[in-house]
Amino acid sequence: MTLPPLTLYLAAPRGFCAGVDRAIKIVEMALEKWGAPVFVRHEIVHNKFVVDGLRDKGAVFVETLDECPDDRPVIFSAHGVPKAVPAAAAKRQMVYVDATCPLVSKVHIEAQRHADNGLQMVMIGHAGHPETVGTMGQLPDGEVLLVETVADVANVTPRDAERLAFVTQTTLSVDDTIDIVTALKQRFPAIIGPHKEDICYATTNRQEAVKAMAPKCDAMLVVGAPNSSNSKRLVEVGTKAGCGYSQLVQRAADIDWRALEGITSMGITAGASAPEVLINEVIDAFKDRYDVTVEMVETAIENVEFKVPRVLRETA
Ligand code: SF4
């Protein structure tokens, strides 16, 4: 049987970032050092495949510290945690390892520095996302004003419009965030913020690659989890950049083949928490049905690496 031809564009960079890589290593090394079970507060990264794999090795995923016993180590996820969480673990004399991505920790430090200088904080982020909860939780309740959209800017009621600063979630849409920052600066000209925004290199690079790839594609798939912020943003960026059919899939079994009937070009990328094995599974599924020619769309080369915390390095 002759298979129909398909040009398969593969975005680069795609998939795992340095923060995700480090967080997974932290759980694996903690299991080696302390044995099972090791408790992990929240999914270490937003990917079911990764979480299930670590669970099989002895990690126990919980949502609150209250679910952890005092005498087993606990790891905080890559998204970061409110200050009250490590404080509670220390009070209970628990062994804990913080897998918060260093680029999220940097935002935490920024927020604290602004607060120390007497500025009230505005956070641009998604309500309820663990990273937003963690960053807002660096300061006392009610101190950080959350803004999700340009429209929200009109409703910000600061204590003093002259004494404001902003931080952002690291996994937002670069373009949407620029619009929100512009609106904030128009309404509060004295507001202080990072040089650009706090969106991390991995989010920015993956969105840039999608912008370059999407216009060439009849359809585009983003391998990632439905609760992964950066993966969902890639779908939106793909649509905005001109690919009418941009969809999120967790793995090959989720592909809606009927919706793809008649395509001759396909784009594939993956969110920062999606492992390469799932991307390969999706590529293989296309190779089973099409005569595939793979073309790379590379817009950046990444060589970022983060060290694991010292307590684990010492063991290694
Ligand atoms: S997406 Fe960015 S901030 Fe989040 S873990 Fe990866 S490098 Fe860190």
Side-chain angles (χ1 to χ4, degrees):
M1 190 182 70
T2 323
L3 298 174
L6 180 76
T7 306
L8 201 156
Y9 295 104
L10 203 48
R14 64 178 176 279
F16 273 12
C17 60
V20 161
D21 204 42
R22 171 180 180 267
I24 295 168
K25 255 189 223 151
I26 287 175
V27 180
E28 289 172 343
M29 290 172 84
L31 282 162
E32 266 171 45
K33 183 178 170 90
W34 290 297
V38 162
F39 285 73
V40 184
R41 187 188 174 280
H42 194 69
E43 287 188 351
I44 186 74
V45 300
H46 284 157
N47 190 278
K48 185 178 170 335
F49 183 87
V50 171
V51 167
D52 287 348
L54 292 171
R55 192 180 283 121
D56 289 346
K57 293 181 186 171
V60 177
F61 291 88
V62 294
E63 282 307 312
T64 66
L65 204 59
D66 294 343
E67 296 164 72
C68 307
D70 290 347
D71 60 352
R72 291 308 304 166
V74 58
I75 295 166
F76 305 142
S77 79
H79 315 94
V81 287
K83 261 192 184 156
V85 175
K91 199 167 170 201
R92 287 169 59 189
Q93 299 187 324
M94 297 168 81
V95 171
Y96 66 87
V97 185
D98 191 354
T100 303
C101 175
L103 299 180
V104 175
S105 300
K106 184 173 145 261
V107 181
H108 291 181
I109 292 165
E110 238 170 73
Q112 186 62 62
R113 184 170 48 84
H114 288 312
D116 291 347
N117 289 333
L119 302 177
Q120 191 177 12
M121 295 303 307
V122 173
M123 166 134 203
I124 305 173
H126 295 294
H129 187 279
E131 185 187 328
T132 299
V133 173
T135 300
M136 292 177 73
Q138 299 307 302
L139 301 177
D141 272 358
E143 266 305 294
V144 185
L145 307 168
L146 181 66
V147 163
E148 292 189 84
T149 62
V150 170
D152 289 348
V153 173
N155 301 323
V156 172
T157 45
R159 274 193 302 267
D160 179 350
E162 299 296 312
R163 309 276 303 146
L164 271 178
F166 74 88
V167 290
T168 80
Q169 200 177 316
T170 57
T171 51
L172 301 176
S173 149
V174 173
D175 295 335
D176 293 353
T177 306
I178 288 171
D179 294 344
I180 299 173
V181 170
T182 305
L184 273 174
K185 286 183 174 168
Q186 268 165 3
R187 198 168 159 222
F188 306 110
I191 197 166
I192 291 173
H195 178 55
K196 280 171 73 190
E197 39 347 71
D198 298 303
I199 297 172
C200 74
Y201 80 97
T203 300
T204 308
N205 288 347
R206 278 150 194 69
Q207 289 180 15
E208 278 305 311
V210 163
K211 279 187 203 169
M213 182 177 77
K216 303 170 190 272
C217 306
D218 292 334
M220 191 187 99
L221 294 181
V222 177
V223 183
N227 57 343
S228 159
S229 171
N230 78 86
S231 303
K232 288 193 287 187
R233 301 296 83 77
L234 291 176
V235 174
E236 293 164 6
V237 169
T239 309
K240 273 195 191 164
C243 181
Y245 184 88
S246 299
Q247 288 288 314
L248 189 68
V249 290
Q250 299 207 61
R251 57 190 312 165
D254 298 339
I255 301 171
D256 180 354
W257 294 106
R258 217 180 292 164
L260 298 178
E261 260 170 33
I263 59 161
T264 57
S265 58
M266 182 73 214
I268 293 181
T269 187
S273 44
E276 193 68 13
V277 60
L278 295 182
I279 304 161
N280 288 335
E281 183 186 278
V282 168
I283 296 170
D284 288 344
F286 277 94
K287 286 184 175 167
D288 286 345
R289 290 166 176 82
Y290 293 89
D291 179 12
V292 168
T293 308
V294 176
E295 278 192 33
M296 199 76 89
V297 181
E298 189 170 63
T299 51
I301 294 172
E302 292 179 348
N303 47 21
V304 181
E305 240 182 273
F306 296 131
K307 282 184 185 160
V308 297
R310 183 177 305 205
V311 63
L312 296 171
R313 286 208 304 272
E314 279 162 2
T315 320

